Amino acid sequence: MYKLPIYLFAFMFTFLGVRASSVDVPNIFIKNFSVDDYKASSQNWGLSVAPDGILYVANNIGLLTFDGNTWKHYETPDKSTIKGVTFLNDTIYTISENSFGSWARDNMGVMRYHKLNKIPAEVKFKEPPAPIPFTLPDEILHAQPSVFMTIDDLYFIGTQNRGLYITSLDGTILRHLSTQDQSLPDNIVRAICIQDAQQIWVAFDNGLSQISFDPALMILGKRSETGKLKNAILQNDTLYIQTNTGYFKRTLKPGDSFVPVDFNKEPFYLPSPVVYDILQVSSIFNNSESLGNFADADQIYPIGNNMYWLCVDNEAGLFLNENGTGTLKCRVLLNNYSMNMVSRDRRLFALNDTLHLISAMQGILLIDIRDLIGSNLVAGTPLQISEIEYVDKHGTHNLPVNTEKITLPHNFQELTVYVGSTIFTPNHQISYMIEGVSSDWSPWQKDGKISFLQLPEGKYTLKVRKYVVRGPYLEVAPPIQVCPPWYNTVWAWIAYILLTGIIAKLGLDYHLRNLRKEEENRKEAERQAEEQRLQQMKSEMLEAELQIKNNELSLQTSALVKRNQAIQALLDELERQKETLGDRYPNKLYIRMKDLMEQSLNNQSDWLLFETYFNSAHQSFIERLRQQYSDITSGDLRICCLLRMNLSTKEIASLLNVSVRAIELRRYRLRKRLGLDGDTNLIDFLMSFKNNFLELIFKQLFIYQSITQLYNTNEKEL
């Protein structure tokens, strides 16, 4: 799409002539990013670098972002391809196949898309290309140029089929980068974006590249071309090396490469190999704590002036030995350059005070210590948390990135924290640890995604550090709090305490009530026992009294019977004497004696006294008989009373001064009046009136006790 403007500007400025240029061929270092890195479509259409150091890429599946550590991609609602991207202030603008849109980060750090009807006038997706002040060489024209950018006196021209060309002001091709020399991932260049004066980004039909100019570390030759480095020396401007495949030389000028050298025809002096593997840290440095993790160095290389390279795994640190204490000058982590030191044999070779070679698995690396330290003198870019999310059974949730504390529920399943710095720094390796879980730092990693699974409830600190060439590592340390479950919170424990107190109080009250109730029951039982004892005593006294009255009645009746019998005997004797003496016994005396005796037998006062004693012993007996049998006569009542006392017919006849036959006849009439059948004994029936009476008395006593107890209970409850 940029082909016609390129040709137009090329031919417009042909008449201006070609200006001579003294631009040197730049040293470059290329980092390539493939689909495996950014996890999106391979095809990229546009690039934009924001001032905050975030790279934005227009990709087939949406918008890509890169903060130096983590790639993220965001889709549009219609999942359309984004063809262009740019920014204005804090807003990112994109152009899709059928629409425009803007993107802005919310407080969770997530990019949110807003569809636009039109783009603001001040937003430019593509700046007008600057005129090319030279005629494009035929090689570039045949490659079908598509886009170009310029930095100072360098021109970067992307093509449709042959990669990227770097030219000077006069059109001289300084570097040609393509898949042919395996420097680029693809030959179809879609876009070029200037990051700063030292770096550019290139978007391809298949991948991305970051190209740095004059880096502190560069690759001089590939392992496949030279072999494994064994020795080296820099003479004047020529570098001579010995590898396991032979001898080679080259200059350090940009664009030069190693060529084989015949040692016999062109002799050169190689320094004697240093026995690097016999040096020990303890024999050089007294204070190993000053070396940090380099205290476990497996290789040590002295380079003079009390300076030593210490190597651990894929990292090298340059230390100055000051009275046994190591002072760090700089450190190099080859992970930042996607390189690896050789695992065996010598790794570092000093050419002079500033230039050193590193034997890497990918080839021979040149490091300029002065440039390396100088690149770190500017203020370091701190790490920033770009997104926080956690997963629980309800799904994925985001937390504000500016939160002072990462607060998580107790049942979270996974926490992911995204950290990054900026693409403006060459060092992107990070390491982390969780205080309270581990005391060891994780291995260095380029990816800014930090994930870990569920933690027990409690407080932790997530420490994340960024690799720097010198000085202390830059760190962020967000605190993490895993909340307890609801049943283990402070409020829950307060509720437990209150509930326990309430239960204890209720239990104590219940126990006290039971004690009081038991005491009351005991007292009530004692009271009832006492009442029963009193009632028993009363009953016994009543029984005794009744017995006494019965005894008195019996004695009185017995005396009355005996008296009547005696009088009757006298009366009978009087009758015999009268019969015997006849007229000789004076009638006056006879009548007088007979009247006295009969008066004694029919004395009503005796019956009144008898009834008094009888009613005393058999309360209400006569009254109850009258109530139940209204037609009963007073004579019948006397017979009933005498029969109730279990007197014989003869005794009754004596008391009533009648014949036995008369008593039997009256008993017969009494049975009929009482309505008794032939099987019912008259005496038993009359005796039952006494039993019923006693039973009535005891029932009344029981009812009285029950009413008294109920009254006392209600009074206590009230």
Side-chain angles (χ1 to χ4, degrees):
M1 61 183 292
Y2 297 105
K3 183 175 180 180
L4 291 177
I6 295 296
Y7 280 117
L8 178 61
F9 284 116
F11 286 105
M12 283 179 58
F13 290 92
T14 300
F15 69 93
L16 294 177
V18 177
R19 293 191 302 169
S21 174
S22 60
V23 177
D24 294 330
V25 179
N27 288 318
I28 61 174
F29 186 84
I30 303 175
K31 286 185 180 180
N32 294 321
F33 299 90
S34 66
V35 175
D36 294 334
D37 297 311
Y38 53 79
K39 302 292 188 302
S41 173
S42 61
Q43 207 167 29
N44 302 290
W45 298 94
L47 298 166
S48 182
V49 175
D52 58 359
I54 306 295
L55 173 70
Y56 297 91
V57 182
N59 187 268
N60 261 4
I61 67 166
L63 179 66
L64 295 182
T65 66
F66 182 58
D67 60 5
N69 292 95
T70 307
W71 289 94
K72 296 180 183 178
H73 72 272
Y74 304 93
E75 295 181 341
T76 58
D78 59 357
K79 302 184 184 302
S80 60
T81 298
I82 294 181
K83 292 292 187 177
V85 59
T86 188
F87 68 90
L88 180 65
N89 300 326
D90 295 331
T91 305
I92 305 301
Y93 294 91
T94 58
I95 180 171
S96 303
E97 294 174 330
N98 302 315
S99 62
F100 301 100
S102 64
W103 304 75
R105 296 185 184 275
D106 59 16
N107 63 336
M108 305 293 182
V110 180
M111 298 287 289
R112 301 297 181 185
Y113 177 80
H114 302 280
K115 187 175 181 180
L116 301 175
N117 294 326
K118 63 178 182 178
I119 294 292
E122 60 271 20
V123 175
K124 305 294 182 184
F125 282 100
K126 179 181 67 174
E127 294 293 335
I132 300 178
F134 55 84
T135 302
L136 292 174
D138 291 341
E139 180 181 348
I140 298 178
L141 290 175
H142 292 156
Q144 301 181 19
S146 54
V147 293
F148 85 95
M149 286 289 177
T150 179
I151 299 178
D152 296 332
D153 294 333
L154 296 178
Y155 286 81
F156 306 93
I157 303 173
T159 67
Q160 292 278 12
N161 52 41
R162 296 199 61 188
L164 180 69
Y165 287 90
I166 303 175
T167 71
S168 62
L169 283 174
D170 60 2
T172 302
I173 298 176
L174 304 178
R175 298 292 294 269
H176 176 214
L177 307 175
S178 66
T179 57
Q180 186 174 357
D181 61 356
Q182 299 180 355
S183 59
L184 299 181
D186 191 42
N187 283 334
I188 303 176
V189 180
R190 297 294 187 188
I192 300 174
C193 178
I194 297 174
Q195 177 177 315
D196 53 34
Q198 298 295 319
Q199 296 181 98
I200 65 170
W201 286 85
V202 183
F204 300 97
D205 201 58
N206 184 16
L208 293 162
S209 291
Q210 182 187 34
I211 303 176
S212 304
F213 307 109
D214 296 324
L217 185 145
M218 60 176 292
I219 184 166
L220 296 180
K222 296 181 179 180
R223 179 79 173 265
S224 59
E225 298 171 352
T226 60
K228 185 177 181 179
L229 182 63
K230 300 181 68 174
N231 208 343
I233 188 173
L234 182 64
Q235 293 181 352
N236 298 324
D237 292 332
T238 303
L239 174 62
Y240 294 91
I241 63 171
Q242 178 187 6
T243 69
N244 60 345
T245 61
Y247 297 91
F248 298 87
K249 70 174 182 178
R250 64 158 286 176
T251 68
L252 298 182
K253 294 180 180 181
D256 202 358
S257 60
F258 281 108
V259 294
V261 59
D262 188 344
F263 189 76
N264 295 323
K265 294 181 179 180
E266 189 177 351
F268 54 91
Y269 171 76
L270 289 173
S272 300
V274 178
V275 183
Y276 59 86
D277 55 354
I278 64 173
L279 295 178
Q280 300 294 324
V281 172
S282 58
S283 64
I284 302 173
F285 299 96
N286 298 329
N287 184 8
S288 61
E289 293 182 359
S290 63
L291 305 178
N293 65 307
F294 290 102
D296 300 325
D298 52 4
Q299 289 186 1
I300 302 175
Y301 306 101
I303 62 174
N305 298 324
N306 286 329
M307 302 283 285
Y308 296 86
W309 278 108
L310 278 65
C311 294
V312 177
D313 298 329
N314 205 34
E315 184 179 14
L318 182 60
F319 286 87
L320 173 63
N321 184 6
E322 296 178 323
N323 300 323
T325 300
T327 301
L328 179 67
K329 293 299 181 179
C330 66
R331 54 172 86 89
V332 179
L333 181 65
L334 264 64
N335 294 357
N336 278 309
Y337 304 93
S338 301
M339 301 286 183
N340 302 93
M341 291 185 183
V342 293
S343 56
R344 301 186 61 179
D345 298 328
R346 188 173 180 180
R347 302 173 183 173
L348 280 162
F349 302 84
L351 301 180
N352 54 34
D353 292 341
T354 60
L355 299 178
H356 299 260
L357 295 182
I358 299 177
S359 178
M361 301 295 292
Q362 291 77 13
I364 300 172
L365 307 180
L366 177 66
I367 181 171
D368 189 331
I369 298 175
R370 188 172 300 168
D371 288 348
L372 186 68
I373 297 175
S375 65
N376 198 67
L377 292 178
V378 296
T381 303
L383 285 170
Q384 293 182 349
I385 297 177
S386 60
E387 190 174 349
I388 305 171
E389 64 180 26
Y390 70 89
V391 179
D392 61 12
K393 62 181 181 180
H394 301 294
T396 302
H397 311 274
N398 286 88
L399 296 176
V401 295
N402 57 352
T403 181
E404 295 181 357
K405 182 195 303 181
I406 300 176
T407 304
L408 301 170
H410 75 281
N411 58 348
F412 85 97
Q413 299 170 0
E414 183 179 12
L415 172 66
T416 302
V417 179
Y418 294 91
V419 295
S421 54
T422 171
I423 59 174
F424 295 139
T425 174
N427 300 302
H428 299 114
Q429 300 296 316
I430 65 169
S431 178
Y432 67 92
M433 74 172 182
I434 303 177
E435 282 189 348
V437 176
S438 173
S439 58
D440 298 327
W441 289 91
S442 68
W444 292 105
Q445 67 180 47
K446 185 176 181 180
D447 189 5
K449 180 180 179 180
I450 300 173
S451 297
F452 51 89
L453 300 179
Q454 186 174 16
L455 295 172
E457 62 178 88
K459 295 181 179 180
Y460 308 89
T461 300
L462 174 62
K463 287 190 171 182
V464 187
R465 64 182 182 179
K466 173 189 173 185
Y467 194 86
V468 291
V469 172
R470 61 181 297 175
Y473 297 116
L474 302 175
E475 289 188 8
V476 292
I480 298 176
Q481 180 175 1
V482 180
C483 297
W486 66 266
Y487 52 80
N488 198 24
T489 60
V490 174
W491 298 111
W493 281 106
I494 292 175
Y496 297 153
I497 294 173
L498 293 176
L499 185 60
T500 303
I502 293 172
I503 293 175
K505 185 177 184 305
L506 293 176
L508 181 60
D509 292 344
Y510 178 76
H511 181 64
L512 292 176
R513 282 198 304 270
N514 284 341
L515 290 178
R516 286 195 297 267
K517 188 174 181 180
E518 290 177 359
E519 182 66 18
E520 291 172 357
N521 291 339
R522 184 183 63 80
K523 292 181 178 180
E524 181 65 21
E526 292 177 354
R527 187 185 63 79
Q528 290 182 2
E530 182 66 19
E531 288 182 355
Q532 289 179 0
R533 188 178 66 83
L534 293 175
Q535 293 298 331
Q536 182 68 25
M537 291 177 61
K538 290 180 180 179
S539 298
E540 291 176 355
M541 292 175 64
L542 181 62
E543 288 287 344
E545 185 178 355
L546 290 175
Q547 186 63 37
I548 292 172
K549 291 181 178 181
N550 280 328
N551 292 336
E552 291 178 352
L553 179 62
S554 297
L555 291 174
Q556 181 67 23
T557 305
S558 178
L560 187 60
V561 169
K562 289 180 178 180
R563 191 201 68 172
N564 287 351
Q565 288 177 351
I567 293 173
Q568 187 66 43
L570 292 174
L571 186 59
D572 292 340
E573 182 63 26
L574 180 63
E575 290 292 336
R576 285 194 300 270
Q577 289 179 3
K578 179 65 177 171
E579 289 178 2
T580 302
L581 295 178
D583 294 333
R584 288 179 297 169
Y585 193 98
N587 287 329
K588 184 178 181 180
L589 292 176
Y590 167 75
I591 295 170
R592 176 64 177 167
M593 289 294 294
K594 186 177 181 181
D595 290 339
L596 289 174
M597 289 180 184
E598 289 178 351
Q599 288 178 2
S600 297
L601 289 173
N602 298 318
N603 193 353
Q604 293 297 323
S605 60
D606 293 337
W607 279 107
L608 292 176
L609 182 60
F610 172 80
E611 288 181 2
T612 301
Y613 279 105
F614 186 87
N615 286 329
S616 220
H618 305 275
Q619 295 181 3
S620 304
F621 175 75
I622 297 174
E623 184 66 27
R624 287 189 294 115
L625 278 176
R626 286 174 176 168
Q627 289 179 356
Q628 189 168 354
Y629 304 101
S630 59
D631 58 344
I632 194 168
T633 65
S634 58
D636 293 335
L637 288 175
R638 289 182 181 182
I639 295 297
C640 289
C641 291
L642 295 174
L643 289 174
R644 185 180 178 88
M645 292 182 63
N646 201 19
L647 296 178
S648 64
T649 303
K650 184 178 179 181
E651 291 174 334
I652 296 172
S654 176
L655 285 173
L656 296 180
N657 196 22
V658 293
S659 64
V660 174
R661 177 64 181 166
I663 295 301
E664 290 177 350
L665 183 60
R666 293 181 71 174
R667 286 182 63 173
Y668 174 75
R669 287 199 293 260
L670 181 61
R671 288 178 62 87
K672 285 189 174 183
R673 187 163 290 164
L674 295 178
L676 300 179
D677 55 21
D679 295 332
T680 303
N681 187 280
L682 177 60
I683 296 176
D684 291 340
F685 172 77
L686 294 174
M687 292 293 292
S688 67
F689 267 81
K690 177 182 177 182
N691 295 335
N692 291 336
F693 170 69
L694 293 175
E695 183 179 354
L696 177 62
I697 292 175
F698 291 131
K699 285 184 178 180
Q700 289 176 347
L701 288 173
F702 176 76
I703 293 172
Y704 170 76
Q705 292 175 359
S706 300
I707 293 174
T708 304
Q709 182 178 358
L710 179 62
Y711 173 77
N712 293 335
T713 303
N714 292 335
E715 186 178 23
K716 290 177 181 178
E717 291 180 354
L718 291 174

